Amino acid sequence: MKKQLLSIFAIASLAMTASAQQFIPNAGFETWGQAAGEEIQPTGWVSYNVFTAPLMDPLNTNSASVTQAGTPNNFQGTYSAKITTIDLVTNPASANLPNRGGFLMAGSVAINAPYIFAGYQFSSRPTAFTYAAKYAPSGIDTAYCLVQLTHWNSILHHRDTVAVGFDYLPLAVSNYQVRNMSIIYNTLFSAVFPDTATIFFSASSNITPQAGSALYVDALGFSGYDGISDNSLNNGVDVYPNPSSTITNFDVVSDNAFEVVVYDMTGREVNRLRINNKNAKLNSYTMAKGVYTYSIITKENEVLTRGKFAVAQ
């Protein structure tokens, strides 16, 4: 399982093609489908189910590792996701993924190697991640949830880990618990917004995974906002009038400024404006009264400057 985890996050750096979003895709696991003829899995998520596709498993030797959990095993809505640790009989990616595993991860699949692509584009700084879970281990086993927020470093050509969150389930949990985990930020990247989120659930430990362990998850959510110091990155832009009830102007200095990204005070993206001739105009009259934050970013999603502004009524 350790090899599985390392391989998955290595793959993540290759697959950041989704459009930017601040939500969690299919956070309630209500929508299910197929990408390559495999057993159905939650839309926007990937699992060992990809290895049930006919092109990868022509003899139909592999069983599904993620299934719909309906009544009485759902938490809310029609379905939760049930993740079961299985043994793959046919594994076309055995050099990267172990034969035994049971995971569910936000991402996408393909019919060619490396088959599994991790993560989706995400540019907020939440302080917590919540989810509902119950757990039925097989023997002695441990389930866990891992959240990783990263940003592509265009100078060093690798992904910087901006923040992580981790939660263990070391014992059986017979009834759903709503679990809350803190997102811990690396102080080296206190002025950096992530561009990608990876959310990973495993029904088994990295050390001694047990076939048959089952983890049920539902109702995922980010909350809170980890602000950037008002003393950092606060130059190079003129915001006026501030506050405004009509139009808010953003005049920038940098030739590399590409977009203005606007967030409410929970860290949710509420607007995104293209910068033309070093200016962007925000229709403040369409927004609720209050204080907002903004980031000026490059085409590569690097943050050039950030700050706050107010909308008046």
Side-chain angles (χ1 to χ4, degrees), residues 174-202:
S174 57
N175 296 311
Y176 274 103
Q177 295 178 346
V178 176
R179 303 181 66 87
N180 186 81
M181 54 192 275
S182 297
I183 305 297
I184 308 301
Y185 284 82
N186 187 331
T187 56
L188 295 176
F189 304 109
S190 61
V192 175
F193 280 88
D195 59 25
T196 300
T198 302
I199 304 170
F200 181 89
F201 293 100
S202 176

Side-chain angles (χ1 to χ4, degrees), residues 4-283:
Q4 169 185 322
L5 188 61
L6 293 174
S7 299
I8 285 167
F9 285 116
I11 290 168
S13 64
L14 304 176
M16 307 307 161
T17 59
S19 59
Q21 51 191 332
Q22 298 310 305
F23 58 91
I24 298 171
N26 198 13
F29 302 117
E30 293 300 294
T31 305
W32 294 64
Q34 299 169 312
E38 76 279 10
E39 294 285 341
I40 62 171
Q41 53 191 347
T43 304
W45 294 75
V46 295
S47 68
Y48 269 22
N49 281 17
V50 65
F51 297 117
T52 66
L55 289 176
M56 300 183 202
D57 184 24
L59 299 180
N60 194 28
T61 60
N62 293 328
S63 58
S65 64
V66 174
T67 55
Q68 294 173 326
T71 305
N73 289 310
N74 57 325
F75 175 71
Q76 66 180 29
T78 304
Y79 302 114
S80 297
K82 178 184 179 182
I83 309 162
T84 304
T85 301
I86 63 166
D87 288 318
L88 291 175
V89 177
T90 302
N91 183 358
S94 58
N96 295 315
L97 298 177
N99 292 327
R100 175 171 290 181
F103 72 87
L104 181 63
M105 175 177 58
S108 59
V109 301
I111 61 173
N112 299 312
Y115 305 108
I116 296 172
F117 296 91
Y120 66 100
Q121 289 192 13
F122 183 91
S123 56
S124 187
R125 292 174 62 96
T127 57
F129 177 77
T130 59
Y131 67 102
K134 67 176 183 175
Y135 184 45
S138 175
I140 299 175
D141 209 347
T142 299
Y144 65 88
C145 172
L146 174 64
V147 174
Q148 187 178 43
L149 305 181
T150 63
H151 184 274
W152 177 251
N153 188 320
S154 59
I155 297 175
L156 299 178
H157 301 289
H158 67 75
R159 289 208 155 269
D160 293 326
T161 299
V162 177
V164 295
F166 207 93
D167 184 39
Y168 284 106
L169 287 84
L171 301 172
V173 179
S174 57
N175 296 311
Y176 274 103
Q177 295 178 346
V178 176
R179 303 181 66 87
N180 186 81
M181 54 192 275
S182 297
I183 305 297
I184 308 301
Y185 284 82
N186 187 331
T187 56
L188 295 176
F189 304 109
S190 61
V192 175
F193 280 88
D195 59 25
T196 300
T198 302
I199 304 170
F200 181 89
F201 293 100
S202 176
S204 285
S205 73
N206 295 343
I207 301 171
T208 55
Q210 301 296 309
S213 292
L215 173 66
Y216 299 78
V217 294
D218 200 356
L220 318 184
F222 284 115
S223 62
Y225 176 66
D226 182 82
I228 292 177
S229 170
D230 287 336
N231 294 322
S232 65
L233 294 175
N234 58 0
N235 59 338
V237 61
D238 186 18
V239 182
Y240 63 92
N242 188 12
S244 172
S245 59
T246 54
I247 301 293
T248 302
N249 287 276
F250 297 84
D251 287 350
V252 300
V253 173
S254 174
D255 292 330
N256 295 324
F258 179 65
E259 285 183 326
V260 180
V261 186
V262 179
Y263 306 89
D264 65 19
M265 293 309 291
T266 69
R268 181 176 63 92
E269 182 182 317
V270 295
N271 215 322
R272 185 175 287 252
L273 309 167
R274 184 66 57 86
I275 296 171
N276 294 305
N277 298 319
K278 297 187 177 182
N279 174 266
K281 297 182 183 294
L282 174 68
N283 293 330

